Amino acid sequence: MNLRRRTTAAAGALITAAALAVSGTATAATAAPVSAQDGVTNAENPRVPVGAVWTEAYFPSADHSGVELHADVLRPAHLSPRAKTPVILAVGPYFGHAGQTGPEGWTRTGPSNRFADFTTGTDLFARGYTYVMVDLRGFGGSTGCLDWVGPGEQADVRAAIQWAAKQPWSTGKVGMYGKSYDAVTGLVGNNLRIGALKAVVAQEPVWNMYNYLFSNDVPRPNVTGTPNAYNGIATMASLADDSDRYRANAAYEQSHPECLADNLTNNNNPDLESAYWRARNLAAQAKGTSTPLFVTQGFIENNTKPEDMEEYLDNHHGVERGWLGQWEHVRGNETNGAGQLLQGRAGFFDEVMRFYDRYLKGDKPAVRDPAYAIEDNTGAWRAQSTWPAPSSYTVVGLPDGQYVDDGIASTLAAPAAPGDQQWDMEHATDPAPIAARALAAADAHSYFSWSTPTRSRVRITGTPRITLYAGAPGNVMVRLWDVAPDGTSVMFDENVALIEQAGRVAFDLKSTDWTFETGHQLGVQIGTIGSGSWRDTPSGNTIEVTRARLSLALQNPASDVPTQGDRSPFLDTYLRQFTRTLTDVGAGTFPLAVRDRH
């Protein structure tokens, strides 16, 4: 197809796509010019957002590897071709012309609609922003092998930021936007410390890539399924009317089959301290960074979980905004069929644009947003200047005990998941709901410790950490329970670890924000894994646990400053899934109370 091409010193090749605009017969020569800019409008191709002009571009990655990256560029149609605007950049695996995670039935090519809700809901183009979508290596119209957010993909993010900043139509100020994988690339952008990157909006990211496939040396059920899923996205066929260059790049894996094979084996090392995983530990790499950052995170997420979130935020020293609460893997603006906001809080796009306008345009916002808006398990929202904001810390000693590491699910366990779950970051499997019934807390597979009943409301916030001494190698799971006086109990936090040899074991649980009502007790369950959420190998050993300590950050809810927000709909789903009625609850051996600082 005879596509017009032009180059600039900074840009590499920029391709206009008028030949792709209308029913397969239109050409660049016959397409009606409806914009002053050289490109395709919505009038020519309905896949182009209203108010935008679409072009495509190619440029090299920053690692000098020969990888060529593809970008879809959407410019405001009402502006001249060289009018300078700030740029919102999204970098990820989901921007292929044929579909995000699989073919979507498009009959003509065009830019991805992955964040059409964002560009439309914010009137992005009318507000004078350019929007750029860049395919990571191996995806869409980019060449190269997949790299699971390693040095290669980090070089792609660097190249994309630098390219967007240097275009003649760019003010040189770039913001990043994304959710899930393309939120991860926003965290990468912050870590790269590039002056042109002025703001990052990252919804439901992974804070350390290791945690998506392993937990403290124990594989997750998707440890091979996720790489397979991304191989499937990478090999998705391009569309018939894509340019020759795009189609050739999209077929890169056909001539480089090692890319697919390597993606299945590169990331199967369970050792967090290996060179491979150190290069992908985004939380550690964030130390000393300062790009203004706006994040969302569900504490009860079933996909990209709140693991190493606190470390990342502690290491980040710049301006922060955050929506944290009790939801699943959803966007800040997303609603259900009943029109309820799935994160429960109104005004996401308004707040995002105040954030971008402030740091990309220098506009002082007329509205003062809280640094953090947080929903706890009661469905109540509060504002904080940071997160977590504990009133005190405590380390509680737990009684000694033992369990058989046989991998047999406790009577309290969630139902087993399929053996090898094939999901990408956009798709995960929810546990099936479990009927509440009366169950004895203790069995051979685990044992419990109990706090004394709380004398006033208290919140566990931040990231609990367990330390224990194990008498034999095997596996260990630790779960935290909120136990009401009548035995009604909710499991609200958990994590697992491999015990390589007898001795000290220490690990973090997931970050949480869980309020205990007066009279409730904390239950700490220690035992074999026996859960479909991990692919452990039971040792069969009887493991004696001694000198166990649980470190907690506690907060007094009486000091909460309310802010607007409704109860997230998923919270009730989660409570149905993870509520039991426990019998034989002990009187308790340690207090759960905020320590008086005076």
Side-chain angles (χ1 to χ4, degrees):
M1 201 164 285
N2 184 23
L3 302 179
R4 299 194 301 276
R5 289 180 170 85
R6 68 173 185 269
T7 63
T8 68
L14 180 66
I15 300 177
T16 65
L20 310 178
V22 286
S23 63
T25 59
T27 67
T30 61
V34 296
S35 168
Q37 297 196 50
D38 190 17
V40 178
T41 66
N42 176 265
E44 299 165 299
N45 183 340
R47 290 192 64 180
V48 179
V50 173
V53 176
W54 170 47
T55 56
E56 298 179 69
Y58 295 88
F59 53 90
S61 185
D63 61 355
H64 308 291
S65 61
V67 167
E68 180 173 77
L69 303 177
H70 167 266
D72 289 303
V73 180
L74 295 170
R75 290 270 294 152
H78 66 283
L79 299 180
S80 70
R82 296 181 71 86
K84 292 183 180 295
T85 72
V87 181
I88 304 300
L89 171 68
V91 184
Y94 303 132
F95 300 114
H97 291 171
Q100 296 180 44
T101 59
E104 295 174 351
W106 298 106
T107 58
R108 67 176 71 176
T109 194
S112 172
N113 66 350
R114 173 163 172 74
F115 292 122
D117 57 344
F118 166 63
T119 59
T120 301
T122 60
D123 290 325
L124 191 69
F125 306 112
R127 297 174 74 121
Y129 284 88
T130 295
Y131 177 52
V132 176
M133 294 170 281
V134 175
D135 300 318
L136 284 171
R137 60 183 59 204
F139 296 104
S142 295
T143 65
C145 295
L146 311 190
D147 192 39
W148 194 239
V149 197
E153 290 188 9
Q154 292 175 30
D156 299 347
V157 175
R158 180 183 295 277
I161 295 169
Q162 293 174 336
W163 181 86
K166 292 178 180 178
Q167 297 314 294
W169 37 258
S170 170
T171 63
K173 296 182 177 181
V174 179
M176 294 187 73
Y177 184 87
K179 178 240 179 181
S180 200
Y181 206 126
D182 33 53
V184 171
T185 59
L187 300 186
V188 169
N190 166 70
N191 290 359
L192 292 173
R193 300 165 173 82
I194 301 172
L197 182 63
K198 303 300 183 182
V200 171
V201 176
Q203 303 169 77
E204 311 303 305
V206 177
W207 306 87
N208 177 348
M209 299 308 297
Y210 174 87
N211 294 329
Y212 201 76
L213 300 180
F214 296 93
S215 297
N216 304 299
D217 295 329
V218 181
R220 291 189 182 274
N222 55 304
V223 65
T224 56
T226 289
N228 269 311
Y230 282 107
N231 278 354
I233 298 171
T235 54
M236 197 183 339
S238 55
L239 297 173
D241 58 345
D242 273 316
S243 70
D244 290 344
R245 189 172 187 174
Y246 185 99
R247 285 186 282 118
N249 286 3
Y252 182 85
E253 289 79 11
Q254 294 179 16
S255 57
H256 296 81
E258 73 277 6
C259 291
L260 303 178
D262 289 348
N263 190 50
L264 296 179
T265 58
N266 285 345
N267 49 25
N268 62 9
N269 183 351
D271 181 9
L272 174 62
E273 298 305 319
S274 68
Y276 181 90
W277 289 119
R278 286 200 307 272
R280 292 159 175 81
N281 187 340
L282 305 184
Q285 293 167 7
K287 191 174 184 63
T289 58
S290 60
T291 309
L293 183 63
F294 187 157
V295 302
T296 75
Q297 178 65 64
F299 291 113
I300 52 177
E301 254 269 26
N302 50 14
N303 190 344
T304 56
K305 300 175 175 64
E307 297 172 298
D308 290 331
M309 172 176 69
E310 185 176 350
E311 180 185 357
Y312 191 104
L313 296 176
D314 283 349
N315 281 338
H316 176 257
H317 296 163
V319 171
E320 291 175 4
R321 297 284 184 272
W323 287 19
L324 314 178
Q326 313 298 325
W327 51 75
E328 70 273 52
H329 196 64
V330 293
R331 305 179 185 189
N333 62 294
E334 203 167 337
T335 58
N336 61 17
Q340 295 173 292
L341 286 162
L342 294 182
Q343 289 191 9
R345 181 172 164 87
F348 180 72
F349 284 153
D350 291 339
E351 189 169 336
V352 164
M353 293 314 298
R354 287 192 290 271
F355 183 72
Y356 281 144
D357 287 348
R358 171 67 181 86
Y359 296 106
L360 274 69
K361 292 184 174 182
D363 295 345
K364 185 176 181 179
V367 175
R368 185 181 180 88
D369 297 304
Y372 279 89
I374 305 144
E375 178 200 22
D376 71 3
N377 59 298
T378 71
W381 285 81
R382 68 186 190 275
Q384 289 183 182
S385 60
T386 188
W387 183 92
S391 307
S392 67
Y393 294 90
T394 187
V395 179
V396 299
L398 306 177
D400 297 346
Q402 68 178 35
Y403 62 91
V404 179
D405 179 32
D406 53 12
I408 296 175
S410 164
T411 53
L412 302 173
D420 184 20
Q421 299 180 28
Q422 183 164 322
W423 69 65
D424 55 78
M425 289 184 207
E426 279 295 275
H427 304 90
T429 303
D430 291 336
I434 308 160
R437 52 195 175 98
L439 297 168
D443 59 27
H445 317 293
S446 67
Y447 76 96
F448 270 81
S449 305
W450 313 96
S451 76
T452 55
T454 59
R455 296 184 177 182
S456 60
R457 299 179 82 227
V458 62
R459 177 180 299 126
I460 296 178
T461 189
T463 310
R465 183 171 179 82
I466 188 76
T467 302
L468 57 84
Y469 287 80
N475 303 276
V476 62
M477 169 183 275
V478 176
R479 283 179 158 176
L480 303 184
W481 294 77
D482 177 358
V483 185
D486 66 356
T488 301
S489 306
V490 181
M491 192 281 291
F492 67 93
D493 204 351
E494 64 179 347
N495 209 350
V496 305
L498 178 69
I499 306 170
E500 296 190 59
Q501 59 185 13
R504 183 178 183 272
V505 180
F507 56 95
D508 289 345
L509 279 67
K510 296 181 295 182
S511 293
T512 188
D513 205 78
W514 197 273
T515 299
F516 283 67
E517 300 298 336
T518 301
H520 284 222
Q521 295 174 258
L522 171 63
V524 183
Q525 183 186 13
I526 300 176
T528 192
I529 295 177
S531 166
S533 296
W534 286 274
R535 293 174 63 181
D536 55 302
T537 302
S539 66
N541 291 331
T542 296
I543 297 179
E544 295 184 357
V545 176
T546 59
R547 291 178 282 170
R549 299 289 185 269
L550 180 65
S551 300
L552 299 172
L554 302 179
Q555 187 174 17
N556 185 353
S559 301
D560 289 353
V561 177
T563 190
Q564 65 90 7
D566 295 327
R567 185 182 181 90
S568 301
F570 183 70
L571 175 55
D572 291 316
T573 300
Y574 181 89
L575 294 175
R576 286 194 300 271
Q577 291 172 341
F578 291 99
T579 296
R580 307 288 190 279
T581 300
L582 301 184
T583 62
D584 304 325
V585 175
T589 60
F590 60 89
L592 185 67
V594 172
R595 187 172 62 250
D596 190 346
R597 291 181 174 178
H598 300 292

